[in-house]
């Protein structure tokens, strides 16, 4: 099986590159090699490569920057998946598209099912929802996987930022009134490979098991980071409110995803986020 992965330099694509399954040949394309917002380039590349499936790991993920960069966020997150879906439909290719918990407004207090009502509260969330809608309309057989709070040893993410700040600062305040589920990109990569091969149609959710606030996550990063010798001293980590840490983009207060339907469909189990954090820190 030949699978094309877009967004080669991102967190998810790095983990996909580390875990190519036996029997799969993969072609990874960076934004320079394939700009998914360029309709013609998408059609030409996929027609040339003729893969069996595409995993779209490319996205505009700068959530705060997107508030003032709507055009580019929509070009990548809405037009990009649209072009991929069009080309995949024309060429008979399966598409696995990755989306986000930010399609929800966060007003729930139990895990969001894949068919829960969407209502984004940020430009990024709106752009990702538009991408999902384009894929569903053009290619209903595509697999859409929403995920959340992704981190890996590559790229910029909360875990690496916390480790850096915890080594440099005397104390830290971390938001405690946003709840979600941290998700290791390596587990997400495994699920994407399975989805590219089993090709289930529709919208699914994937995160690691358990729930946490950013504060809980930070405390665990410090504890496990110290256990694994990545941090020498412990600093005070204080819970703060979202209102005391203003950001340009609003974020859902609650965005735990219900991943059960994907687990059943692919025959996989979730691992608790704390275990996955330990696994990731082991790699640093
Ligand atoms: N990170 C999270 O916490 C999170 C949470 C929920 C959902 N997700 C979703 O999960 C997926 C993977 O996220 P990630 O964390 O791996 O993202 P990431 O590390 O930011 O990587 C995204 C990649 O997309 C590439 N890209 C940007 N514009 C492009 C374009 N026009 N054409 C082709 N490639 C382009 C970027 O390339 P350059 O390096 O060249 O800019 C970058 O390498 C995305 O769909 C994201 O929306 C992420």
């Amino acid at each position: 099986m030949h699978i094309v992965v877009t967004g080669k330099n991102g967190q998810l694509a790095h983990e996909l590159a580390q875990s190519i399954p036996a029997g799969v040949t993969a072609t990874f394309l960076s934004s320079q090699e394939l700009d998914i917002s360029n309709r013609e380039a998408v059609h030409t590349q996929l027609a040339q490569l003729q893969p069996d499936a595409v995993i779209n790991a490319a996205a505009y993920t700068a959530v705060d920057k997107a508030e003032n960069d709507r055009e580019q966020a929509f070009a990548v997150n809405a037009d990009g998946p649209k072009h991929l879906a069009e080309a995949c439909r024309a060429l008979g290719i399966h598409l696995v598209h990755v989306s986000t918990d930010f399609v929800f407004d966060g007003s729930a207090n139990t895990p969001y099912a894949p068919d829960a009502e969407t209502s984004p509260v940020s430009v990024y969330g709106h752009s990702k929802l538009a991408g999902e809608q384009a894929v569903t309309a053009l290619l209903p057989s595509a697999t859409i996987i929403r995920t959340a709070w992704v981190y890996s040893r590559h790229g910029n993410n909360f875990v690496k930022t916390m480790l850096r700040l915890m080594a440099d600062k005397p104390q830290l305040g971390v938001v405690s009134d946003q709840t979600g589920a941290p998700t290791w990109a390596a587990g997400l990569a495994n699920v994407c490979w399975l989805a590219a091969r089993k090709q289930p149609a529709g919208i699914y959710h994937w995160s690691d098991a358990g729930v946490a606030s950013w504060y809980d996550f930070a405390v665990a990063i410090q504890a496990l980071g110290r256990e694994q010798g990545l941090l020498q001293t412990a600093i005070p980590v204080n819970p703060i409110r979202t209102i005391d840490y203003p950001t340009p983009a609003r974020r859902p207060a609650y965005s735990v995803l219900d991943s059960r339907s994907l687990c059943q469909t692919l025959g996989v189990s979730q691992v608790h986020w704390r275990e996955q954090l330990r696994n990731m820190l082991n790699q640093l």
Side-chain angles (χ1 to χ4, degrees), residues 162-220:
M162 283 298 117
L163 288 173
R164 194 180 64 245
L165 293 176
M166 284 165 177
D168 287 353
K169 302 268 182 196
Q171 60 175 328
L172 270 186
V174 184
V175 168
S176 63
D177 56 1
Q178 287 173 29
T179 305
T183 302
W184 188 27
L188 174 63
N190 176 48
V191 158
C192 287
W193 284 127
L194 285 171
R197 291 195 290 176
K198 283 200 167 182
Q199 311 193 343
I203 299 180
Y204 295 90
H205 286 172
W206 178 258
S207 71
D208 289 335
V211 300
S213 67
W214 290 111
Y215 167 78
D216 296 327
F217 193 21
V219 168

Side-chain angles (χ1 to χ4, degrees), residues 1-21 24-36 45-46 49 51-59 84 88 93-98 188-189 192-193 196:
M1 206 179 174
H2 178 208
I3 300 178
V4 163
V5 178
T6 60
K8 177 183 177 176
N9 296 318
Q11 300 192 81
L12 172 58
H14 266 110
E15 296 298 343
L16 286 164
Q18 298 295 313
S19 58
I20 301 169
V24 168
T25 316
T27 303
F28 290 80
L29 300 172
S30 68
S31 57
Q32 285 78 31
E33 290 161 321
L34 177 60
D35 173 357
I36 62 165
Q45 283 263 17
L46 293 186
L49 291 166
D52 301 292
V54 171
I55 299 175
N56 181 28
L84 288 166
C88 287
I93 299 167
H94 184 71
L95 176 62
V96 177
H97 174 61
V98 182
L188 174 63
C192 287
W193 284 127

Side-chain angles (χ1 to χ4, degrees), residues 74 77-78 97 99-100 102-104 118-120 123-136 146 203:
F74 270 78
N77 292 343
H97 174 61
S99 193
T100 174
F102 278 38
V103 298
F104 298 116
T118 53
S119 175
V123 169
Y124 169 75
H126 278 287
S127 69
K128 292 291 291 184
L129 180 60
E132 288 185 5
Q133 288 168 340
V135 170
T136 304
R146 296 190 186 123
I203 299 180

Side-chain angles (χ1 to χ4, degrees), residues 104 106-114 116 179 205 211 254-258 260:
F104 298 116
S107 58
N109 53 20
T110 53
Y112 281 101
T179 305
H205 286 172
V211 300
Y254 179 94
S255 66
V256 179
L257 300 174
D258 181 344
R260 284 177 298 181

